Amino acid sequence: MDIPRGTDLRGAVVVEADLRGARLVGCVVDGLRVDSFAGDLGSVVVDDVEVGGFVRDTLDARHPERRQLRAVRTADDHRAMWTTVERLWTGTLASAEALPDAVCTARVDGEWSLTDTVRHLVFAVDVWLGRVLADEPRPVHPLGLPTGDTSPRTVRDLGLDPAATPSWAEVVAVHAGRLADVRAALAELTDDRLDDVRTVAPIPEWGTESHTVQACFRVLAAEHVEHRRYAVRDLARLSGPGGAPAATPD
């Protein structure tokens, strides 16, 4: 698909589109922002310079837990990774609680607020631990928040209410319980179970899928790692004087 020459796309927002192989030729790109999926640009070439690796390395330097996650191989690695996840989120939530209440529900550029993000992580644990790994028939907490492309019927069938306005304390408490649930499951994990396969429909509209045990735990860690990265970024913009990063202990 070719966009007509001279088209004015200033301020355009492209969300979750497939742009693989796309080219911008002779375009004015001052102020262009690209937020990739989970910080993975893949191959991106700007004026004959490959920048994807630079972006990955820069994000890794800022968030070394990303490197730790890629290196996970054994049951002990998974446990160590989750210890890191809990430590980082404890610090981030503590920093948020020291800020005005409105910060936790504020959205930056239409993205999820911190409260929304924590609700989504509750949903992620319910799906990947409760449904896929534990095979619970209805594991989803009503305050969980699914992705925006989840159909209204699935949202209704799961008993979710994306428009709910729970208190910050309530959301944090539910999430703390989910962190503990993952920690308890990992305490029993052994190397010989890592490649066991679970076949189930995580949520009805996804259909039946097969995932290894270690893949499920990796998804849970990745969700917490990447969504914390977004949360830290947005908290900095919301609370830093003049846009300076807010203190968010690691």
Side-chain angles (χ1 to χ4, degrees):
M1 180 186 70
D2 292 334
I3 296 174
R5 185 185 296 266
T7 299
D8 189 344
L9 295 176
R10 284 176 292 181
V13 178
V14 181
V15 180
E16 295 183 4
D18 190 341
L19 297 176
R20 286 174 292 186
R23 295 178 64 211
L24 304 179
V25 181
C27 294
V28 179
V29 295
D30 182 46
L32 175 69
R33 282 188 57 191
V34 178
D35 294 320
S36 61
F37 179 76
D40 182 12
L41 280 175
S43 175
V44 177
V45 179
V46 178
D47 285 336
D48 299 321
V49 178
E50 167 60 59
V51 300
F54 170 76
V55 173
R56 181 200 62 229
D57 293 345
T58 300
L59 287 176
D60 285 353
R62 294 176 181 176
H63 302 281
E65 63 273 14
R66 287 164 45 90
R67 285 195 298 263
Q68 181 183 358
L69 178 57
R70 290 200 299 271
V72 166
R73 297 291 183 274
T74 68
D76 283 342
D77 290 341
H78 281 281
R79 283 185 279 272
M81 185 70 239
W82 198 250
T83 296
T84 297
V85 163
E86 293 203 66
R87 173 177 59 80
L88 292 174
W89 270 102
T90 296
T92 299
L93 296 178
S95 292
E97 287 172 358
L99 300 172
D101 292 344
V103 170
C104 294
T105 55
R107 293 188 170 191
V108 175
D109 294 335
E111 298 290 335
W112 277 339
S113 68
L114 181 58
T115 298
D116 295 333
T117 295
V118 177
R119 290 178 61 189
H120 176 67
L121 294 175
V122 168
F123 177 76
V125 174
D126 288 345
V127 169
W128 292 99
L129 178 63
R131 181 74 187 110
V132 180
L133 288 176
D135 198 24
E136 297 178 20
R138 295 190 64 84
V140 178
H141 192 284
L143 290 184
L145 187 64
T147 55
D149 59 354
T150 305
S151 72
R153 177 176 180 177
T154 294
V155 170
R156 183 176 61 254
D157 290 347
L158 291 175
L160 300 172
D161 182 8
T165 56
S167 69
W168 171 249
E170 185 177 6
V171 170
V172 170
V174 175
H175 180 242
R178 295 305 189 266
L179 292 176
D181 290 341
V182 177
R183 188 190 326 130
L186 284 169
E188 300 179 356
L189 184 64
T190 56
D191 287 343
D192 61 345
R193 288 181 47 215
L194 289 174
D195 291 324
D196 288 355
V197 175
R198 301 288 189 266
T199 300
V200 67
I203 63 174
E205 69 183 61
W206 293 359
T208 301
E209 301 178 355
S210 293
H211 301 277
T212 64
V213 169
Q214 65 175 325
C216 294
F217 283 119
R218 189 178 291 274
V219 167
L220 287 172
E223 284 282 303
H224 280 78
V225 165
E226 293 303 323
H227 279 292
R228 178 182 174 272
R229 180 169 65 84
Y230 304 144
V232 169
R233 176 199 65 192
D234 291 348
L235 284 173
R237 294 180 63 182
L238 288 166
S239 60
T248 307
D250 285 338

mmCIF file of all heavy atoms in Angstrom, residues 235-246:
data_model
loop_
_atom_site.group_PDB
_atom_site.id
_atom_site.type_symbol
_atom_site.label_atom_id
_atom_site.label_comp_id
_atom_site.label_asym_id
_atom_site.label_seq_id
_atom_site.Cartn_x
_atom_site.Cartn_y
_atom_site.Cartn_z
ATOM 1 N N LEU A 235 5.261 7.603 34.863
ATOM 2 C CA LEU A 235 5.352 8.276 36.158
ATOM 3 C C LEU A 235 6.354 9.418 36.103
ATOM 4 O O LEU A 235 6.155 10.467 36.727
ATOM 5 C CB LEU A 235 5.743 7.282 37.255
ATOM 6 C CG LEU A 235 4.639 6.345 37.738
ATOM 7 C CD1 LEU A 235 5.210 5.309 38.706
ATOM 8 C CD2 LEU A 235 3.514 7.136 38.413
ATOM 9 N N ALA A 236 7.432 9.210 35.354
ATOM 10 C CA ALA A 236 8.424 10.278 35.210
ATOM 11 C C ALA A 236 7.813 11.502 34.543
ATOM 12 O O ALA A 236 8.049 12.645 34.955
ATOM 13 C CB ALA A 236 9.623 9.773 34.409
ATOM 14 N N ARG A 237 7.011 11.266 33.521
ATOM 15 C CA ARG A 237 6.392 12.383 32.815
ATOM 16 C C ARG A 237 5.322 13.053 33.659
ATOM 17 O O ARG A 237 5.124 14.280 33.590
ATOM 18 C CB ARG A 237 5.788 11.896 31.500
ATOM 19 C CG ARG A 237 6.825 11.418 30.492
ATOM 20 C CD ARG A 237 6.194 10.942 29.211
ATOM 21 N NE ARG A 237 5.474 12.011 28.521
ATOM 22 C CZ ARG A 237 4.798 11.833 27.373
ATOM 23 N NH1 ARG A 237 4.764 10.630 26.821
ATOM 24 N NH2 ARG A 237 4.163 12.834 26.805
ATOM 25 N N LEU A 238 4.618 12.295 34.485
ATOM 26 C CA LEU A 238 3.542 12.846 35.281
ATOM 27 C C LEU A 238 4.028 13.595 36.510
ATOM 28 O O LEU A 238 3.401 14.564 36.940
ATOM 29 C CB LEU A 238 2.598 11.721 35.735
ATOM 30 C CG LEU A 238 1.703 11.115 34.648
ATOM 31 C CD1 LEU A 238 1.088 9.826 35.145
ATOM 32 C CD2 LEU A 238 0.610 12.098 34.255
ATOM 33 N N SER A 239 5.137 13.151 37.070
ATOM 34 C CA SER A 239 5.526 13.676 38.389
ATOM 35 C C SER A 239 6.848 14.413 38.411
ATOM 36 O O SER A 239 7.145 15.113 39.372
ATOM 37 C CB SER A 239 5.608 12.518 39.397
ATOM 38 O OG SER A 239 6.563 11.562 38.977
ATOM 39 N N GLY A 240 7.664 14.257 37.372
ATOM 40 C CA GLY A 240 8.976 14.926 37.397
ATOM 41 C C GLY A 240 8.849 16.409 37.108
ATOM 42 O O GLY A 240 8.159 16.801 36.165
ATOM 43 N N PRO A 241 9.486 17.281 37.894
ATOM 44 C CA PRO A 241 9.444 18.727 37.608
ATOM 45 C C PRO A 241 10.085 19.027 36.271
ATOM 46 O O PRO A 241 11.207 18.644 35.995
ATOM 47 C CB PRO A 241 10.248 19.340 38.768
ATOM 48 C CG PRO A 241 11.122 18.217 39.257
ATOM 49 C CD PRO A 241 10.338 16.965 39.044
ATOM 50 N N GLY A 242 9.299 19.671 35.416
ATOM 51 C CA GLY A 242 9.820 19.995 34.097
ATOM 52 C C GLY A 242 10.090 18.779 33.237
ATOM 53 O O GLY A 242 10.862 18.824 32.285
ATOM 54 N N GLY A 243 9.453 17.664 33.594
ATOM 55 C CA GLY A 243 9.649 16.450 32.813
ATOM 56 C C GLY A 243 10.823 15.606 33.281
ATOM 57 O O GLY A 243 11.127 14.579 32.697
ATOM 58 N N ALA A 244 11.481 15.999 34.362
ATOM 59 C CA ALA A 244 12.607 15.208 34.878
ATOM 60 C C ALA A 244 12.070 13.926 35.509
ATOM 61 O O ALA A 244 10.981 13.902 36.054
ATOM 62 C CB ALA A 244 13.378 16.002 35.926
ATOM 63 N N PRO A 245 12.830 12.825 35.408
ATOM 64 C CA PRO A 245 12.338 11.555 35.940
ATOM 65 C C PRO A 245 12.067 11.620 37.428
ATOM 66 O O PRO A 245 12.826 12.211 38.193
ATOM 67 C CB PRO A 245 13.494 10.581 35.627
ATOM 68 C CG PRO A 245 14.204 11.203 34.487
ATOM 69 C CD PRO A 245 14.100 12.684 34.695
ATOM 70 N N ALA A 246 10.957 11.027 37.825
ATOM 71 C CA ALA A 246 10.661 10.912 39.250
ATOM 72 C C ALA A 246 11.495 9.789 39.830
ATOM 73 O O ALA A 246 11.910 8.872 39.147
ATOM 74 C CB ALA A 246 9.168 10.617 39.438
#
